[in-house]
Amino acid sequence: MNLHGKDIKIFTANSNPKVAAEIAQQLGLPMGESEVVTFSDGEISVSIKESIRGSDVFVVQSLSSPVNDNLMELLIMIDAFKRASAGRITAVIPYMGYARQDRKAKARDPISAKLVADLITVAGADRVLSMDLHCPQIQGFFNIPVDHLLGVPILAPYFVEKFKDNLEDCMVVSPDLGSVTRARNFANRLGVPFAIVDKRRQRANVCEVMNIIGDVKDKKVVLVDDMIDTAGTLCNAAKAIIEIGGAKEVYACATHGVLSGPAIERIQNSPIKELVLLDTIALPEEKKLDKITVLPVAPVFAQAIQRIYDDKPVSPLFNN
């Protein structure tokens, strides 16, 4: 039984049009014609300039900064598609904003990730396609199907190729306890051991490195995380790996480069030789450094979209 529309149409709002265009190119499709503008009072207006009746519509929008504007653009576009009789609407969200607010850390805290999931569902999305949710359990916040892609199958081959002549000198390190599973999977793909940086966070965006669990002496270390925000955790871990662990070189990679606040300055002044990110979040010119490498996610998202349209499983993409 086919549950998709009559054809695929790719649309984008304003957060990451480059990725949307690359996805459409990978699929051999033109970009859908639409316009998303902001009035002088801050209200957002959406115009869909072609028929989508009965189509399988995919709207690409990362919920990155300015996260609230980008969220409203996505919600209004979904509503427009629903009212224009789209056959099925998939919200393609390479980076899911608010994903870190997934539980009550203290009394009277909101669970904002659940609220965002409800908003997307109520707006009219039939399914969600995202990558490296901060907590995979967020899939359960949605009452619609969620296809959760992983960044590791894109990042790992880059380092396999980079260190192919001396993989035995490499080691993967998790910058904190929360990324242990991700680091272990990454290490398995490279066929190298992994270690853990144990830290204690005293307050938000400030952390203290305590010790290193594992022997990284004279190793080329790859730090693996899902996102880099202010880069405090990453840069402190890199410093500890060199000064305490005695590593030879430190590299780092992450799926989402949020890079807010002092992140760029910290990365520039850190011992990290190269930071590899995916383009789930558009990297503005002022944040581009020589030591930052950006890999494309469009090929993986394009394959996932084609599989969703063809009613085929998305899971084979995890094993690329």
Side-chain angles (χ1 to χ4, degrees), residues 159 162-163 221-223 249-253 272-274:
F159 285 98
K162 186 178 185 69
F163 299 129
V221 167
V222 182
L223 283 161
E249 296 175 350
V250 180
Y251 299 81
C253 65
I272 296 170
K273 291 197 67 174
E274 183 182 16

Side-chain angles (χ1 to χ4, degrees), residues 77-279:
M77 285 197 82
I78 291 172
D79 184 74
F81 295 139
K82 181 177 68 173
R83 295 176 187 280
S85 301
R88 182 172 63 174
I89 304 166
T90 300
V92 181
I93 309 174
Y95 169 69
M96 179 72 73
Y98 285 103
R100 286 173 284 182
Q101 299 186 46
D102 64 312
R103 64 192 183 280
K104 292 184 70 170
K106 60 182 186 298
R108 295 174 294 280
D109 272 358
I111 303 179
S112 303
K114 168 61 174 168
L115 173 61
V116 170
D118 288 343
L119 290 170
I120 292 169
T121 304
V122 170
D126 295 299
R127 66 188 307 127
V128 169
L129 175 61
S130 190
M131 177 173 279
D132 269 342
L133 296 169
H134 188 63
C135 295
Q137 295 90 330
I138 290 173
Q139 295 173 83
F141 290 178
F142 290 88
N143 294 323
I144 54 177
V146 177
D147 291 300
H148 184 212
L149 303 178
L150 303 177
V152 168
I154 305 173
L155 293 164
Y158 177 86
F159 285 98
V160 169
E161 179 64 25
K162 186 178 185 69
F163 299 129
K164 61 183 178 182
D165 296 328
N166 55 358
L167 266 176
E168 64 278 0
D169 294 331
C170 297
M171 197 165 185
V172 171
V173 175
S174 171
D176 56 27
L177 296 174
S179 296
V180 168
T181 302
R182 184 177 295 100
R184 183 186 292 115
N185 293 339
F186 198 93
N188 288 341
R189 287 177 181 269
L190 268 63
V192 302
F194 83 102
I196 304 167
V197 175
D198 179 32
K199 67 176 178 63
R200 182 170 301 162
R201 189 181 297 274
Q202 295 174 316
R203 60 182 186 275
N205 295 329
V206 177
C207 63
E208 178 185 354
V209 172
M210 302 299 290
N211 54 47
I212 298 167
I213 305 171
D215 184 11
V216 299
K217 187 173 176 59
D218 297 325
K219 295 286 188 179
K220 291 183 178 179
V221 167
V222 182
L223 283 161
V224 181
D225 211 344
D226 66 322
M227 73 170 67
I228 300 171
D229 189 355
T230 60
T233 296
L234 188 78
C235 293
N236 285 341
K239 184 178 179 182
I241 286 167
I242 294 289
E243 296 180 358
I244 300 174
K248 187 190 301 180
E249 296 175 350
V250 180
Y251 299 81
C253 65
T255 303
H256 310 299
V258 180
L259 304 181
S260 65
I264 292 299
E265 183 181 356
R266 285 174 173 172
I267 292 166
Q268 183 65 45
N269 297 329
S270 75
I272 296 170
K273 291 197 67 174
E274 183 182 16
L275 171 60
V276 182
L277 301 171
L278 303 185
D279 61 354

Side-chain angles (χ1 to χ4, degrees), residues 10-27 29-31 59-62 64 73 92 94 277-285 288 293-302 305:
I10 307 294
F11 287 86
T12 184
N14 291 324
S15 74
N16 210 335
K18 177 175 175 288
V19 167
E22 290 173 355
I23 290 172
Q25 184 180 31
Q26 290 278 332
L27 293 168
L29 298 171
M31 280 296 299
V59 53
V60 182
Q61 177 82 330
S62 283
S64 52
E73 287 183 3
V92 181
L277 301 171
L278 303 185
D279 61 354
T280 57
I281 298 174
L283 192 65
E285 286 297 325
K288 292 181 179 178
T293 301
V294 180
L295 304 180
V297 295
V300 173
F301 273 97
I305 288 170

